[in-house]
Amino acid sequence: MIVSWNWLTDYVRLDMPVEALAERLALTGLNHESTEDVGGDLAIDLEVTSNRSDCLGHVGVAREIGVVFDRPLRVPDPRPRASGPAVLSRAAVAVECPDLCPRFTARVVTGARVGESPWWLRKRLETIGVTPISNVVDVTNYVMFECGQPLHAYDLDLLQEHRLVVRRARPGETLKAINGKTYELKPEMLVIADAGRPVGLAGVMGGLETEIGDKTRNILIEAARFDAMSVRKTSRELGLFSPSSFRFERPIDPEITEWASRRCAELILETAGGTLHEGLIDVGAPSRPREPITLRYAQIERVLGIPVGSEEVRRILAALGLEIVRQDGSAITARPPTWRPDLEREIDLIEEVARIHGYEHIPEDRAVPMTSAPRAVRERVESAVRETLTGLGMDESVTFSLVEESLGGPVQPGTAAAPLRIDHSSRKVEVALRQSLLPSLLSARAYNESRGNPAAELFEIANVYLPRGAGELPDEPTRLAIVTSRDFRGAKGVVEGLLGRLHVAGPLTARAVDLPLFAPGRAAELLVGGVHLGYLGEVEKSQLDRFELREGCSAAELDLGVLLDRAILIPQHHALPAFPAVSRDLSLVVDRALGWEDLEQTVRAAGGPSLVGVEYLDTFRGGNLPEDRQSVHFGLMFREPSRTLTGEEIDRAIKSIVDACATRLGAFLRN
């Protein structure tokens, strides 16, 4: 929000250096971006947060200055002289969608002369970066930047039947906006129409066919309130943004609408002449009164760490425009003004007291009474995941939730529905809500690779978005994704290390699957205790090319919910082995289609209680083996906690394993 120094002086006395003004406003929440001299005036650029829509006009900023520097605020009281017949004799307004347009007002000025604005009006608009157009249009812009309420002026003679209808767009309707572009409208969009066609997009932009021109003599002034979500959706759907839509997407003071209409009429009479018709067309229900908020003085010290006197609290709240309802020795109750919709709770008033009293008055060493809360299970699990993976040489990545639709194909999202689309003002390509984290991580790895870091080891913890039924919010499970230069076994080792760190209950098993992202025969579904955990595999060559990756990599995506359910966060104690382990290797010839998971389960079941470890080593095919056979080489580890195993015991266990594999799987020892 750019404000003019000279313009602000209309409402509040400015007798401080501009540097002092900028610093003090920054301390109260209006961060100072820059100050520029524009033809003898100062253009001050302030960052206005989304909850402070009251500061999107010069009056609102002046009000803040008045509170901070204890200066009285001077707000104009427009009283345009009406000398024409009743306004209803020249125009009519109907609102068919009161849910999207809670209030719509209109005034009529006839016999005006459209031309160049006076110097003072052009100068003020130019200072804040707005190009002057004509006296009538400039007045509507002036009032918007004065009070934050957007307005629009129509050429009354170009409105069919001299009437406006606020309604939803009809199928097939289009609008040629004042920017010269034609837009196809959708039924959910709110439009301002005359008797036959749309003449404006409500809250976004007016139409070209009824705009004010050099030949305009009769003017209809619109000042209205529109539903913020409706304006936001229309603006993003069409990629059409304006100072009006920027303001209508935020809460607007419901009581400023009529003031802005009077102010606009007054300035049009002053700059363009004409006759104002008697009365105001005002369609809509009155705004509901604000509920009072009680602020307990004890809470101020509890939250801020310092006491603030009751009279100081009263002075601050009154200066901010709150109506004091009652006050006693322990609390004060006040009703927020209509221009501060962000004041809803006691803590909001505490923040107001803090920022106006001055954060600099809170000593750095002042203890704030509070107690520590135990970390939630999710926080502890995520912390352990981060510690483990960074300890394994990986870096945490934070990527955007939107991805390109062409890269948004999920690994296995659990839904066949197409990804949800989001129309965003700053995103033209990344418009799909991701159903998997892996496209984002693979893109991040490609970004690193293109900048000289070919082996970026990355992980991310974030939500994915799985569509449900029409009109329902998506399911948002949290996933853990990993991208690494390690091969399949190395990546599986990372997952095993993570499960070990979390003491996850249940063995980890890998079941071979075919997924488009992974190379054939190099992908697996991971299960822990028989419960689906996620997927792991080496990325297939065509998928590497799709993400513009030159180096091969493996990827895994795990369901964090399973880790939360099965993690054992209480530290576990196990005595160190007192007796040595015995290691043996076996090479079994098995059917070529047999997966490691089935072989491992058979070996563990037959090995007895002394078998404490089974490790896959390699697979051999070819040579003197039949075409339909393969040799699987794996290691075994035996141990007893109370004694040393004998060779005879090991031999019996191995014979039991070989016999079981022969009986169940048709396997035999390789010579």
Side-chain angles (χ1 to χ4, degrees), residues 374-392:
R375 290 196 302 168
V377 171
R378 175 171 180 143
E379 293 176 313
R380 297 169 64 190
V381 168
E382 289 187 2
S383 177
V385 169
R386 291 184 172 96
E387 290 176 2
T388 303
L389 295 181
T390 53
L392 290 170

Side-chain angles (χ1 to χ4, degrees), residues 116-413:
E116 187 179 56
S117 295
W119 176 86
W120 66 268
L121 179 53
R122 299 198 313 273
K123 176 60 179 172
R124 288 196 170 175
L125 293 178
E126 289 170 350
T127 298
I128 63 173
V130 177
T131 302
I133 299 173
S134 68
N135 46 11
V136 174
V137 176
D138 293 347
V139 163
T140 61
N141 285 330
Y142 180 90
V143 176
M144 177 178 66
F145 288 107
E146 180 178 44
C147 68
Q149 166 72 55
L151 302 102
H152 187 68
Y154 300 87
D155 187 322
L156 182 62
D157 296 328
L158 298 178
L159 295 175
Q160 295 181 19
E161 299 182 10
H162 292 182
R163 64 192 300 257
L164 290 178
V165 181
V166 185
R167 59 171 173 81
R168 288 180 171 87
R170 294 166 182 159
E173 285 188 323
T174 61
L175 172 72
K176 189 171 186 178
I178 58 175
N179 62 3
K181 297 181 180 179
T182 300
Y183 297 91
E184 295 184 4
L185 308 180
K186 296 185 178 180
E188 65 270 15
M189 296 178 179
L190 187 67
V191 299
I192 312 298
D194 61 13
R197 76 253 152 110
V199 295
L201 276 169
V204 181
M205 189 171 288
L208 185 66
E209 294 178 343
T210 57
E211 71 169 345
I212 301 297
D214 294 341
K215 298 181 180 179
T216 298
R217 293 294 177 265
N218 303 318
I219 301 162
L220 185 147
I221 304 168
E222 166 203 310
R225 291 172 52 211
F226 301 110
D227 178 71
M229 185 61 70
S230 172
V231 174
R232 185 179 298 118
K233 289 175 64 176
T234 299
S235 179
R236 277 150 181 72
E237 181 78 19
L238 299 177
L240 183 59
F241 307 95
S242 66
S244 293
S245 66
F246 184 81
R247 286 160 175 79
F248 276 123
E249 288 179 14
R250 292 154 176 80
I252 288 181
D253 179 4
E255 299 300 319
I256 201 66
T257 305
E258 194 274 337
W259 182 96
S261 179
R262 282 189 285 121
R263 179 68 163 158
C264 184
E266 180 182 66
L267 292 176
I268 286 178
L269 294 177
E270 178 184 330
T271 61
T275 300
L276 175 64
H277 285 243
E278 185 69 41
L280 170 73
I281 299 177
D282 192 350
V283 181
S287 58
R288 292 179 298 177
R290 301 288 301 277
E291 291 296 322
I293 304 171
T294 297
L295 170 58
R296 296 164 290 174
Y297 300 131
Q299 289 295 95
I300 296 176
E301 184 170 5
R302 187 188 73 81
V303 174
L304 302 182
I306 60 170
V308 180
S310 59
E311 288 308 309
E312 172 69 358
V313 172
R314 182 187 181 96
R315 182 194 70 80
I316 291 173
L317 297 183
L320 288 167
L322 282 84
E323 174 192 353
I324 308 301
V325 176
R326 59 180 174 272
Q327 181 179 14
D328 56 33
S330 62
I332 184 171
T333 300
R335 192 186 312 276
T338 56
W339 61 81
R340 289 299 302 273
D342 57 311
L343 301 183
E344 298 177 333
R345 304 173 298 161
E346 181 181 40
I347 193 63
D348 298 329
L349 299 190
I350 293 175
E351 181 183 3
E352 293 300 292
V353 170
R355 70 184 189 88
I356 301 303
H357 183 67
Y359 294 118
E360 68 276 10
H361 293 145
I362 303 176
E364 295 180 5
D365 58 351
R366 179 59 59 91
V368 177
M370 62 178 63
T371 57
S372 60
R375 290 196 302 168
V377 171
R378 175 171 180 143
E379 293 176 313
R380 297 169 64 190
V381 168
E382 289 187 2
S383 177
V385 169
R386 291 184 172 96
E387 290 176 2
T388 303
L389 295 181
T390 53
L392 290 170
M394 309 190 80
D395 294 304
E396 183 172 9
S397 180
V398 178
T399 59
F400 202 50
S401 296
L402 294 176
V403 296
E404 295 182 36
E405 285 189 284
S406 62
L407 300 181
V411 177
Q412 189 77 23

Side-chain angles (χ1 to χ4, degrees), residues 53-125:
S53 55
D54 61 299
C55 290
L56 291 176
H58 281 72
V59 171
V61 175
R63 183 182 291 113
E64 283 287 294
I65 296 171
V67 174
V68 170
F69 289 94
D70 194 21
R71 303 283 192 274
L73 181 68
R74 303 183 298 269
V75 179
D77 181 17
R79 298 185 180 183
R81 180 176 175 272
S83 55
V87 65
L88 287 173
S89 67
R90 291 302 306 267
V93 172
V95 176
E96 296 181 358
C97 305
D99 56 324
L100 302 182
C101 178
R103 190 177 188 188
F104 193 100
T105 71
R107 295 183 191 272
V108 170
V109 175
T110 57
R113 294 284 180 177
V114 177
E116 187 179 56
S117 295
W119 176 86
W120 66 268
L121 179 53
R122 299 198 313 273
K123 176 60 179 172
R124 288 196 170 175
L125 293 178

Side-chain angles (χ1 to χ4, degrees), residues 18-76:
V18 65
E19 295 79 13
L21 174 66
E23 180 181 5
R24 194 69 182 91
L25 288 179
L27 290 174
T28 59
L30 294 176
N31 290 330
H32 177 247
E33 298 289 336
S34 64
T35 297
E36 181 182 356
D37 188 300
V38 181
D41 194 359
L42 295 178
I44 306 170
D45 192 357
L46 301 173
E47 179 189 358
V48 179
T49 54
S50 59
N51 66 316
R52 292 303 307 274
S53 55
D54 61 299
C55 290
L56 291 176
H58 281 72
V59 171
V61 175
R63 183 182 291 113
E64 283 287 294
I65 296 171
V67 174
V68 170
F69 289 94
D70 194 21
R71 303 283 192 274
L73 181 68
R74 303 183 298 269
V75 179

